[in-house]
Amino acid sequence: MAGMRFFAPALFFAPTLAFAQAAILTAPPDFPACVAQLRALAQREGISSETFEATVARVDPDPTVIEAMGNQPEFSTPIWQYMSALVDDKRIADGRAQLKLWSPTLERAEKAYGVDRHVIIAVWGVESNYGKIMGRRPLVRSLVTASCYGKRQNFFRGELMSALKILGSGDIEAELLKGSWAGAFGHTQLMPSTFHRTAVDFDGDGRRDLVTSIPDALGSTANYLKLAGWQTGQPWGYEVKLPARYSGPSGRKNRQPLDDWHALGIRRLDGKTIGGEANAALLLPAGARGPAFIALRNYDAIYSYNTAESYALAIAHLADRLRGGAPFRKAWPTDDPGLSRAQRLELQERLASQGYDVGEPDGLIGPRTIDAIKAFQVTRGMQPDGYAGQRVLRALQSPAPAPKPK
Ligand code: CA
């Protein structure tokens, strides 16, 4: 979701509906007074009163948005868990099919913006699963809610005004403007303000429609990455090997010339030499015992699209895999790797068939699934941490051990 700093796509954690908390939050602010403020702001921004009265004036606050704003993740998810679902065999196969399907469009995008087609498709795949998960909440209602409640009202008021300008321009039909609770929408989950900076009409129908036009979405993604400083023909980076007991600098912001990394003993796994003046960072997303990466300028362009290291690395790696590249050579430092989406579904189906309540199996590891995993772990004498990994899946696949004779 381009332009956002603090929201990860809700791919893994279904919302916990704390209705009691939402009810408390819906009561205090004076909503009609807030709408009056928004009306005055819209007038100053040159938004027509027709647009405002047909949209903002007709919505009520969405309690699920208020609830989502207050939610903190219950625990931090290890990066290998994100990577195993964001870059799984199915997403690679689906992405290769899309590469074929949209080949002429992608060729035009490469020529117009100089951005590698595999990266364009990888952004699409990670942001919305190639258009399958674009968010279902009416965008204006979500943004009005976030403009009147919570801690970032000024930010969301700006996004609301941007959304109203999209509707005023006729680029996207009002009833189709739906998205995440935080305002990201369309095939590549742009924020409304980012839309105005980066969206292009790439199918030539005169409208920039990132909801129904895949060519517009792909062209706009390429334009976004170009504006973010994409360097044509350069890789995002590559996996590297650290010298034994490496304790030098790392992290996205610790940049230095490739020659300096070489001098520290960092080596490419494919045998090519690291060298030159180009600035690069050394990424150790799971510490020095896990995979290590040299990240070049194009990694930062991807990172700006969705400012979370796990998502940027997923987009970068998915692009490499779509191109025919290999999985990471070094294993993540865990004895319990994460699950693909197919395996998440299997996990839920096996829990359900053994009598645990996981709701409708949907591949999303929400609070009910986590509780079910914990209950199952107890029956097997495992630590009840609720972690949806390979170990608990293997336990579910094997019959319960016979009770010990007394
Ligand atoms: Ca168009």
Side-chain angles (χ1 to χ4, degrees):
M1 55 186 75
M4 296 300 286
R5 183 153 286 283
F6 54 103
F7 306 111
L11 290 175
F12 302 114
F13 300 102
T16 55
L17 293 174
F19 282 120
Q21 186 198 9
I24 292 164
L25 285 167
T26 47
D30 184 344
F31 186 67
C34 180
V35 171
Q37 288 172 7
L38 296 176
R39 183 177 282 114
L41 178 59
Q43 270 172 6
R44 288 200 298 279
E45 295 269 337
I47 290 156
S48 77
S49 58
E50 285 87 351
T51 298
F52 187 90
E53 300 305 327
T55 55
V56 179
R58 291 190 178 189
V59 301
D60 57 342
D62 181 345
T64 68
V65 170
I66 296 167
E67 197 272 332
M69 282 192 292
N71 253 353
Q72 297 299 322
E74 287 178 42
F75 52 89
S76 69
T77 305
I79 185 165
W80 51 84
Q81 202 177 2
Y82 281 115
M83 295 295 290
S84 56
L86 287 172
V87 191
D88 62 13
D89 290 344
K90 176 151 176 55
R91 208 177 307 261
I92 295 166
D94 290 349
R96 287 184 180 154
Q98 299 290 356
L99 277 166
K100 249 186 214 156
L101 194 58
W102 298 102
S103 173
T105 303
L106 292 163
E107 195 168 325
R108 274 201 303 128
E110 282 184 336
K111 280 201 183 112
Y113 303 107
V115 176
D116 171 16
R117 67 182 68 194
H118 303 94
V119 177
I120 300 170
I121 292 291
V123 168
W124 188 25
V126 166
E127 290 295 330
S128 72
N129 193 21
Y130 311 108
K132 291 191 199 77
I133 303 173
M134 299 200 280
R136 293 187 192 141
R137 288 186 175 91
L139 210 68
V140 169
R141 188 182 184 208
S142 297
L143 290 172
V144 168
T145 306
S147 294
C148 295
Y149 299 82
K151 292 178 183 161
R152 292 178 53 93
Q153 295 181 19
N154 280 340
F155 168 79
F156 284 112
R157 286 178 186 203
E159 294 298 331
L160 174 62
M161 295 304 127
S162 293
L164 295 178
K165 286 173 189 172
I166 294 172
L167 295 178
S169 72
D171 278 312
I172 299 172
E173 311 270 348
E175 57 272 24
L176 296 179
L177 193 60
K178 294 177 180 170
S180 74
W181 71 264
F185 70 97
H187 281 278
T188 46
Q189 297 287 286
L190 286 186
M191 291 298 288
S193 61
T194 314
F195 174 96
H196 289 293
R197 283 192 288 112
T198 64
V200 296
D201 170 24
F202 210 55
D203 62 10
D205 72 348
R207 297 186 305 134
R208 301 177 295 171
D209 184 347
L210 304 191
V211 176
T212 62
S213 167
I214 291 170
D216 284 7
L218 299 179
S220 298
T221 301
N223 186 40
Y224 180 99
L225 291 168
K226 177 182 182 238
L227 294 172
W230 187 267
Q231 295 183 331
T232 305
Q234 294 296 310
W236 65 269
Y238 32 77
E239 190 178 356
V240 293
K241 186 174 186 298
L242 302 175
R245 290 180 295 283
Y246 178 80
S247 62
S250 64
R252 194 173 56 85
K253 290 178 178 170
N254 278 318
R255 310 178 68 81
Q256 54 181 1
L258 287 169
D259 283 339
D260 294 12
W261 292 117
H262 184 82
L264 286 171
I266 313 289
R267 297 292 178 265
R268 279 182 77 146
L269 286 174
D270 59 13
K272 292 180 192 159
T273 308
I274 293 177
E277 295 294 312
N279 260 325
L282 174 68
L283 304 181
L284 305 175
R289 293 193 305 126
F293 308 94
I294 281 290
L296 298 160
R297 182 69 193 81
N298 285 347
Y299 176 83
D300 288 339
I302 296 171
Y303 181 89
S304 78
Y305 202 96
N306 190 333
T307 55
E309 193 153 295
S310 47
Y311 282 87
L313 194 61
I315 290 168
H317 185 49
L318 178 58
D320 284 350
R321 299 295 298 278
L322 292 175
R323 200 184 291 111
F328 297 143
R329 296 247 205 115
K330 176 119 185 193
W332 294 107
T334 175
D335 57 1
D336 194 3
L339 303 176
S340 71
R341 288 169 297 162
Q343 288 172 323
R344 285 161 192 254
L345 207 54
E346 182 188 345
L347 171 96
Q348 289 177 319
E349 282 163 354
R350 286 183 181 275
L351 283 167
S353 75
Q354 295 183 31
Y356 295 94
D357 175 20
V358 295
E360 187 67 30
D362 56 5
L364 302 176
I365 307 300
R368 272 206 280 191
T369 303
I370 290 170
D371 285 347
I373 292 170
K374 286 179 185 169
F376 170 77
Q377 286 170 322
V378 169
T379 69
R380 293 295 181 94
M382 301 166 76
Q383 188 193 350
D385 58 5
Y387 174 68
Q390 296 287 347
R391 190 175 291 156
V392 77
L393 180 61
R394 279 198 303 273
L396 278 161
Q397 288 163 340
S398 59
K404 287 196 182 98
K406 286 181 183 161

